[in-house]
Amino acid sequence: MSKVDDETRQLAAMAYGEASPDNVEAELQALASILVRQRDARGYKDIASFARGEPTFSFVVNDGNKRYAKPMKASDQEIEKDTGMRRAVAAAKNALAGGPDMSNGGWFWDGADIRANYKNHFKVKHGIRFSEPSHNIYGIEESTKVVILYRRIKVRDKNTGTVSVKQGEIGRYGHVYQSTAAHGGTIFWRLNPEYLRLTRAKEYK
């Protein structure tokens, strides 16, 4: 195995730390692809800068996660002998090279916490929808709800010249997050295109 450079190691460690213990290749690849996409979208030059600048995006870097620490401390030889770490490094290399994206265009992810903390989960509160039944690996309910956006419109009466203000509907959406894939113990998400269009939100936030 060739020497693992710093960028690859950092990315592999983050993907490894976020992934479920089964070390599913597709899950590791999807996580690595999202991390690189987020790095680029937010304008960071490398994964380490991204991890420092966005500490709440991937908590494994700072919360004492043992899986994250393992590949960060491991020698190249130890990585080569460990199936999970070896897969994580391969996933990192794939993402950095612009290889196949197993997240299918995702920007975010969730593990088992979305089931354990369902009622108080941020995404659930804002509306989730599964684009494919197979993505619902935790058997949770969708939390779709219609949100209507309005704008104020000034209307002038031609006869009296008086101006009144009325509300006009801009549009509506039923959820903020929609699934793009699910591998291992992780569900991957993107923002609903209709939500993005109506709110002009950024797809990576």
Side-chain angles (χ1 to χ4, degrees), residues 132-137 182:
E132 296 287 346
S134 61
H135 297 170
N136 189 5
I137 56 176

Side-chain angles (χ1 to χ4, degrees), residues 18 42 50-62 109:
E18 293 285 357
R42 295 172 188 249
F50 169 58
R52 289 193 298 270
E54 309 287 343
T56 60
F57 189 82
S58 178
F59 288 104
V60 299
V61 177
N62 300 305
W109 66 78

Side-chain angles (χ1 to χ4, degrees), residues 149-155 163-170:
L149 300 183
Y150 297 94
R151 63 182 170 189
R152 295 165 67 85
I153 303 172
K154 291 183 179 181
V155 180
V163 177
S164 60
V165 178
K166 296 183 178 181
Q167 279 193 335
E169 181 178 328
I170 300 173

Side-chain angles (χ1 to χ4, degrees), residues 63-80:
D63 68 358
N65 185 289
K66 292 181 179 179
R67 280 178 59 87
Y68 167 77
K70 186 177 178 181
M72 288 297 288
K73 297 176 180 178
S75 67
D76 292 350
Q77 291 73 26
E78 289 171 332
I79 289 174
E80 177 63 23

Side-chain angles (χ1 to χ4, degrees), residues 115 136-141:
R115 178 177 59 190
N136 189 5
I137 56 176
Y138 291 110
I140 59 178
E141 292 184 7

Side-chain angles (χ1 to χ4, degrees), residues 8-126:
T8 302
R9 183 181 293 271
Q10 179 74 57
L11 178 57
M14 291 173 72
Y16 187 75
E18 293 285 357
S20 55
D22 290 337
N23 300 315
V24 177
E25 289 180 272
E27 182 181 16
L28 288 162
Q29 288 181 7
L31 288 162
S33 291
I34 289 180
L35 287 164
V36 169
R37 186 156 44 250
Q38 283 281 355
R39 177 202 67 182
D40 295 345
R42 295 172 188 249
Y44 291 94
K45 64 178 182 178
D46 54 41
I47 290 293
S49 298
F50 169 58
R52 289 193 298 270
E54 309 287 343
T56 60
F57 189 82
S58 178
F59 288 104
V60 299
V61 177
N62 300 305
D63 68 358
N65 185 289
K66 292 181 179 179
R67 280 178 59 87
Y68 167 77
K70 186 177 178 181
M72 288 297 288
K73 297 176 180 178
S75 67
D76 292 350
Q77 291 73 26
E78 289 171 332
I79 289 174
E80 177 63 23
K81 292 178 181 179
D82 184 281
T83 300
M85 289 195 293
R86 190 171 66 249
R87 287 179 176 176
V89 168
K93 289 181 177 179
N94 174 73
L96 291 169
D101 173 19
M102 298 304 292
S103 78
N104 196 27
W107 288 91
F108 316 96
W109 66 78
D110 280 297
D113 62 300
I114 196 168
R115 178 177 59 190
N117 191 37
Y118 182 85
K119 290 184 178 180
N120 297 312
H121 198 280
F122 179 86
K123 289 188 184 68
V124 172
K125 286 184 174 181
H126 285 77

